[in-house]
Amino acid sequence: MADENRAIKKPLPEMTPVNRPFWEGARAGRLVMQKCRDCGSWVFCPRPLCVECHSERLEWVPLSGRGKVFSFTVIREVVGRALRGFAPDIPYVTAWIDLEEGPRFCSNIVGCPIDKVTIGMGVEVVFEDTGEGVVLPKFRPGQAAA
Amino acid sequence: MSIRGEAAIVGIGETPTDRLGSKPGEPRKSTAEYLAWAAKLAMEDAGLAKKDFEGQGLAAIYTTSHSQPFWPEEVASILGLKPGVSLAGGNGGASSVSLLGHAAAAIAAGLCDLVLVIAAASPFGERGAHRGAPADTRDYEMPFGVMGPNCKISFVMSRYMHESGMTAEHFGKIAVTARYHASLNPNAYLRKPITIEDYKKSRLISDPIRLFDCVLPANGGKAYIMASAERAKTMRKPPVYLLGWGECNNASYGPRYRSNPLVTGISEAGRRAFAMAGVTHRDIGCLNLYDDYIPIVMLQIEDLGFCEKNDKAFFERTDFTFKGDLPIQTGGGMINCGQPSTTGGMLHVIETVRQLRGEAGQRQVPNVRFGVATGLGAVNYGKNFGCTAAAVLGNER
């Protein structure tokens, strides 16, 4: 089908007033997350209020970009039509990364052979420009977080 | 007021499950046809007719392709019912077990005397109607190529293997047991027995998730009918009482930004269900656990308190067959019977009812008096299931 020959775009985040600072930070080469000024909790994914104490006094705080792989998977098949744009990338690694400051972030491990990725390995953020106005924070092997 | 023993399941309906429409141009039944079919089967099983449901309760479970805001009304319209109490099952795969409690509460409060709980889906060929993904998934998982629940449960399974030392042998044992039970269930879709070797040879989809870890999408409809304990005594089939029930949603263990994904809300929902029922683990004759993935069955056995967390030795020594120490997935589970979208979890309620009525044929657990059914729905960002529910059912009040 002609439809399938067309370049298939990968899904991009929808910008909202709540999440915009995260994506603007990434475009500026910074990994930022919300932190509660009242109880000190990190809040991720972005929320309109603190999920621990319901304070609205959330600030956007830059992170070191260092972390450790908490868990990971090697994607070997496309599931669902919306994600067909990832077909040329298979196999690739998606991972849960525990950032040095605390929050867990889901991203890709890049710049590393698939069979070298392990739970506990140290990683650091790199910023990948999608060319569509969105920059995605991804992770490559790096110094292990404290 | 407790809902313990206030309501009972008096009718069950389960259409055959198929995968019609999975190939282009293949005819398939619509969701409405499955709804009507399942409702008729459940009413017939209970010895009730449409007129008995006028002004009574109707609980409709949202499915992936039909979550328009008036879905319960649309279901009432399809079935020609005029409910006096309308409940919506919006907890995904946990809905059927959630609604056991919600329906029993409506009955116990005297709002109605009967509730028809119904779900149907015909996912093959209705793709155009899919709703959007939740915001966290859309913004923070899909752009990184997260392939839905297969991938999210792979994160959980990978970490589970890391912390517990479980291997393919452990997961394979559960898969083989479930398939063995399916081989004894005429309603199951996959009935050919498998070995551990077959499990290990099944293809990797999202390491460490293999094909035989995953549920089978299907079309179908399912229903159950609850009645007050008084009314239940007058029905044609023996009542199966709701003795204990618990629900826990958006559970987080540890800080919310870094939760322990190896603990599910079933740990809390199950504890409440056991406490309400007043039973101990030794009383339970069968477990029918929500099984979209094999490792999730194991996490629930742990969370329900049948063993410690990461208790590898327990999984090695326990016989999980219907004749064994702790029968699980006695009808084969969704993995082998198929999952018609979010209707899937109803399979576990229906199988538990069959066991407690003594209608399970070749796979009947001997002398079973109490069974547990669970439901799970939504896999949250960086965590485990968002919706969880557990119920203790029994054949005496």
Side-chain angles (χ1 to χ4, degrees), chain A residues 11-14 16 19 22-23 42 44-47 51-52 70-79 81-83 86 92 94-96 98-99 102-108 119 136-138, chain B residues 127-128 136 138-148 150-152 154-160 162-163 203-209 254-261 380-384:
Chain A
L12 292 172
E14 187 176 302
T16 67
N19 74 14
F22 178 89
W23 296 108
W42 291 97
F44 192 82
C45 301
R47 296 282 183 255
V51 293
E52 301 292 347
F70 177 77
S71 192
F72 72 97
T73 178
V74 181
I75 305 287
R76 297 188 188 271
E77 284 186 23
V78 170
V79 181
R81 297 201 306 178
L83 297 169
F86 289 98
Y92 60 89
T94 60
W96 277 347
D98 279 356
L99 298 166
R104 180 168 302 148
F105 186 68
C106 178
S107 182
N108 300 114
I119 287 179
L136 298 174
K138 297 198 172 181
Chain B
R127 297 189 179 102
D136 291 351
R138 181 195 64 212
D139 296 340
Y140 293 98
E141 290 179 328
M142 289 172 70
F144 299 96
V146 169
M147 295 285 164
N150 287 351
C151 173
K152 299 193 204 189
S154 292
F155 291 140
V156 174
M157 184 174 177
S158 176
R159 186 71 197 181
Y160 186 38
H162 179 77
E163 289 192 19
R203 74 175 193 272
L204 279 168
I205 292 189
S206 177
D207 312 12
I209 290 272
R256 285 174 173 78
Y257 56 79
R258 192 176 188 162
S259 184
N260 179 358
N380 285 353
Y381 185 94
K383 294 201 275 187
N384 205 306

Side-chain angles (χ1 to χ4, degrees), chain B residues 290-336:
Chain B
Y290 194 86
D291 57 341
D292 44 359
Y293 297 94
I294 292 287
I296 297 306
V297 173
M298 297 160 72
L299 290 181
Q300 290 177 87
I301 291 170
E302 296 176 357
D303 286 346
L304 285 168
F306 285 92
C307 66
E308 296 296 313
K309 293 303 283 183
N310 300 329
D311 191 348
K312 207 165 63 162
F314 176 84
F315 287 96
E316 286 162 8
R317 71 170 178 263
T318 303
D319 179 354
F320 293 109
T321 70
F322 74 99
K323 293 173 283 194
D325 320 305
L326 182 62
I328 62 166
Q329 317 307 88
T330 51
M334 281 156 48
I335 280 183
N336 296 304

Side-chain angles (χ1 to χ4, degrees), chain B residues 240-276:
Chain B
V240 171
Y241 296 96
L242 179 66
L243 300 175
W245 178 84
E247 182 176 308
C248 179
N249 302 303
N250 192 32
S252 192
Y253 301 94
R256 285 174 173 78
Y257 56 79
R258 192 176 188 162
S259 184
N260 179 358
L262 302 186
V263 187
T264 72
I266 289 293
S267 57
E268 286 171 67
R271 189 165 62 239
R272 286 181 219 150
F274 274 75
M276 185 188 291

Side-chain angles (χ1 to χ4, degrees), chain B residues 146-213:
Chain B
V146 169
M147 295 285 164
N150 287 351
C151 173
K152 299 193 204 189
I153 299 304
S154 292
F155 291 140
V156 174
M157 184 174 177
S158 176
R159 186 71 197 181
Y160 186 38
M161 292 171 79
H162 179 77
E163 289 192 19
S164 67
M166 303 271 188
T167 64
E169 302 285 333
H170 298 88
F171 301 103
K173 178 178 178 178
I174 304 295
V176 168
T177 303
R179 183 65 70 85
Y180 168 56
H181 290 153
S183 77
L184 304 174
N185 179 1
N187 295 329
Y189 191 86
L190 299 172
R191 299 194 58 200
K192 187 179 163 218
I194 55 167
T195 63
I196 298 259
E197 286 312 306
D198 294 330
Y199 169 85
K200 281 157 65 174
K201 273 188 279 180
S202 71
R203 74 175 193 272
L204 279 168
I205 292 189
S206 177
D207 312 12
I209 290 272
R210 299 174 175 281
L211 183 65
F212 284 3
D213 287 309

Side-chain angles (χ1 to χ4, degrees), chain B residues 42-161:
Chain B
M43 287 182 192
E44 193 180 296
D45 187 55
L48 294 167
K50 177 174 175 286
K51 63 175 168 41
D52 297 307
F53 288 86
E54 290 307 318
Q56 293 284 341
L58 173 70
I61 292 176
Y62 286 115
T63 71
T64 319
S65 50
H66 293 83
S67 35
Q68 56 97 342
F70 312 115
W71 181 236
E73 193 279 332
E74 190 177 329
V75 172
S77 178
I78 290 166
L79 299 177
L81 298 174
K82 192 174 77 178
V85 176
S86 178
L87 301 173
N91 285 338
S95 298
S96 55
V97 178
S98 287
L99 286 167
L100 281 172
H102 303 179
I107 289 168
L111 301 178
C112 55
D113 206 29
L114 287 174
V115 181
L116 169 64
V117 182
I118 189 153
S122 186
F124 294 109
E126 282 178 8
R127 297 189 179 102
H130 266 248
R131 66 180 170 196
D136 291 351
T137 297
R138 181 195 64 212
D139 296 340
Y140 293 98
E141 290 179 328
M142 289 172 70
F144 299 96
V146 169
M147 295 285 164
N150 287 351
C151 173
K152 299 193 204 189
I153 299 304
S154 292
F155 291 140
V156 174
M157 184 174 177
S158 176
R159 186 71 197 181
Y160 186 38
M161 292 171 79

Side-chain angles (χ1 to χ4, degrees), chain B residues 73 125 129 169 186 218 220 228 322 342 345 350 358 362-363:
Chain B
E73 193 279 332
E169 302 285 333
S228 62
F322 74 99
T342 42
I350 289 174
Q362 282 185 284
R363 63 186 194 280

Side-chain angles (χ1 to χ4, degrees), chain A residues 25-133:
Chain A
R27 271 170 65 173
R30 292 187 307 143
L31 185 65
V32 296
M33 287 190 179
Q34 289 173 309
K35 195 173 189 185
C36 178
R37 283 185 187 166
D38 285 322
C39 76
S41 289
W42 291 97
V43 176
F44 192 82
C45 301
R47 296 282 183 255
L49 42 65
C50 173
V51 293
E52 301 292 347
C53 75
H54 274 199
S55 164
E56 289 167 24
R57 296 188 348 115
L58 296 176
E59 61 182 334
W60 287 90
V61 176
L63 290 103
S64 69
R66 290 189 297 272
K68 277 182 186 170
V69 173
F70 177 77
S71 192
F72 72 97
T73 178
V74 181
I75 305 287
R76 297 188 188 271
E77 284 186 23
V78 170
V79 181
R81 297 201 306 178
L83 297 169
R84 279 183 306 172
F86 289 98
D89 301 344
I90 280 174
Y92 60 89
V93 175
T94 60
W96 277 347
I97 292 138
D98 279 356
L99 298 166
E100 196 170 67
E101 293 83 358
R104 180 168 302 148
F105 186 68
C106 178
S107 182
N108 300 114
I109 305 294
V110 295
C112 178
I114 281 171
D115 58 1
K116 298 288 182 234
V117 178
T118 56
I119 287 179
M121 77 185 268
V123 290
E124 62 186 22
V125 72
V126 287
F127 292 95
E128 228 179 73
D129 195 336
T130 61
E132 307 273 339

